[in-house]
Amino acid sequence: MRRRPTVVIHGSMAEREVMKPIHHHGGSCKGDGKKGPSSWPIYTLVSTAAVACYLNGLNGDFVHDDIPAVTLNKDVTGQNPIGHVFKNDFWGTPMAEISSHKSYRPLTTLTFRFNYWCFGLQPFWFHATNVLLHALVSVLFTRVALRIAGMKPPFATVAGLLFAVHPIHTEAVTGIVGRADVLACVFFLLALLAYHGNSSEECLVQRSIFFGGLSMMSKETGITVFLLNLGLDTYKNYHSIKRFV
């Protein structure tokens, strides 16, 4: 009589889960190609709300810090060679001078210079650029809510709308010099999304460092994105870390 083959199952369910083959993304910087439901209606709603909140500020003038940082800044008005943008502080003073504020934000200054090159010292376009950047930040925040926080679309939409219309952003968006905060936030969120994307680990780190560097060149506080990435990594891998401590 032929004996039936014996099937031996080793370990617990958790151990069998570990034995499943792991599919690596490989060396490519491309994502995994999977597409979920379209998020564009959500992004459109959030960006529209972000713009609508600040339409009444588009006709504002240059005030307070806008004057030394923009209208009197030779790096903005083109009186200095463009290379000086990377040698001077945010207010146009050489970084090497003792009187320098030491606020190094060349990328923000370059956007002011671009505004001036296109439209001269017309404050409307400086304000309009700030508002559009705020809309972009609001969309990126909503994407973070969807992709990293894992919120369901209705809750991510509410989070994005609350972010877009919250009055805490008023000074940064309506004050022209506040662009440093808004622009830094754009690259901050891009660095966050890049690090927690679907590409290979090497590409994730490279992209995150690149966007993090741009955030720092917009405003010094951009460096905190690296701390946030470290904190999120620690949180997500806490149980693995705890096993080895």
Side-chain angles (χ1 to χ4, degrees):
M1 182 181 292
R2 297 177 61 185
R3 298 177 61 185
R4 293 181 180 179
T6 303
V7 179
V8 181
I9 300 176
H10 297 280
S12 63
M13 182 66 73
E15 290 172 331
R16 294 199 298 276
E17 192 70 26
V18 173
M19 297 302 293
K20 290 182 180 179
I22 299 173
H23 301 282
H24 295 283
H25 292 291
S28 172
C29 284
K30 296 181 180 179
D32 57 9
K34 296 179 181 178
K35 292 184 179 179
S38 175
S39 300
W40 285 110
I42 298 175
Y43 298 150
T44 301
L45 176 62
V46 169
S47 59
T48 301
V51 170
C53 283
Y54 293 99
L55 289 177
N56 62 345
L58 291 177
N59 293 316
D61 206 342
F62 294 105
V63 295
H64 305 304
D65 289 342
D66 300 339
I67 296 170
V70 179
T71 62
L72 300 180
N73 191 339
K74 294 180 180 179
D75 292 336
V76 173
T77 58
Q79 294 171 269
N80 285 340
I82 196 166
H84 282 213
V85 171
F86 299 94
K87 298 178 182 179
N88 299 340
D89 65 19
F90 187 56
W91 313 95
T93 306
M95 291 287 291
E97 289 190 9
I98 195 170
S99 60
S100 169
H101 188 266
K102 308 302 181 188
S103 49
Y104 189 67
R105 305 165 190 173
L107 199 55
T108 303
T109 304
L110 281 175
T111 64
F112 289 153
R113 188 170 179 131
F114 179 75
N115 276 144
Y116 178 82
W117 180 70
C118 291
F119 308 107
L121 288 176
Q122 297 183 42
F124 174 88
W125 296 106
F126 286 84
H127 286 295
T129 303
N130 279 23
V131 172
L132 291 177
L133 286 172
H134 173 61
L136 177 57
V137 168
S138 300
V139 168
L140 291 172
F141 177 84
T142 308
R143 188 166 181 81
V144 167
L146 287 166
R147 297 289 300 276
I148 299 178
M151 290 184 177
K152 293 182 178 180
F155 296 107
T157 303
V158 172
L161 288 172
L162 286 174
F163 181 92
V165 304
H166 200 287
I168 198 172
H169 306 302
T170 302
E171 183 179 358
V173 180
T174 58
I176 293 173
V177 291
R179 184 179 303 179
D181 294 289
V182 184
L183 191 62
C185 194
V186 168
F187 294 116
F188 183 102
L189 294 173
L190 285 173
L192 192 64
L193 287 164
Y195 189 74
H196 300 277
N198 295 321
S199 302
S200 68
E201 183 176 348
E202 182 181 355
C203 289
L204 295 178
V205 173
Q206 289 174 353
R207 289 176 180 174
S208 185
I209 290 174
F210 173 72
F211 288 124
L214 293 180
S215 184
M216 290 169 59
M217 292 178 72
S218 302
K219 192 171 182 178
E220 304 80 6
T221 51
I223 196 173
T224 56
V225 70
F226 301 118
L227 297 176
L228 181 57
N229 281 336
L230 177 62
L232 285 173
D233 260 353
T234 304
Y235 172 75
K236 291 195 296 185
N237 299 286
Y238 175 73
H239 294 293
S240 300
I241 295 171
K242 190 177 179 181
R243 230 181 302 162
F244 294 99
V245 174

